[in-house]
Amino acid sequence: MKKADPAAVRAALLEAADQLVAQARTPHPEREAGLRALAERHGLKPGDLFMGLRVAVTGATASPPLLPSVDAIGADEAASRVRDLVARGA
């Protein structure tokens, strides 16, 4: 199994942070489709991006569904957590 390129994951996470804010009021299926397309543009499997987002947003690899978690804390806070994770080099 090919491991995801860390630089591609970081770039995708930063783009996803912006997308979370920009699409905060968009229905979940459309947001999920947008995040999946973003992962593909960066040459990632969607699961690699979603796991990085999940860890950044919730601090755990197993959590409630990602987008409801983003909604619960707010898109701005979720994006801030993603950016912080990338800045720490994780």
Side-chain angles (χ1 to χ4, degrees), residues 11-75:
L13 285 170
L14 290 174
E15 190 176 332
D18 293 338
Q19 191 167 314
L20 289 174
V21 173
Q23 295 183 341
R25 298 186 189 277
T26 304
H28 288 189
E30 292 172 33
R31 282 195 275 172
E32 181 176 339
L35 290 170
R36 287 179 180 280
L38 186 156
E40 289 178 18
R41 282 195 308 273
H42 286 273
L44 301 172
K45 294 179 182 175
D48 292 331
L49 176 63
F50 281 83
M51 182 57 68
L53 289 170
R54 179 172 285 109
V55 169
V57 170
T58 68
T61 57
S63 67
L66 176 61
L67 293 174
S69 297
V70 169
D71 292 343
I73 65 169

Side-chain angles (χ1 to χ4, degrees), residues 70-87:
V70 169
D71 292 343
I73 65 169
D76 290 326
E77 175 63 21
S80 176
R81 291 180 184 188
V82 172
R83 291 181 189 110
D84 288 347
L85 180 77
V86 172

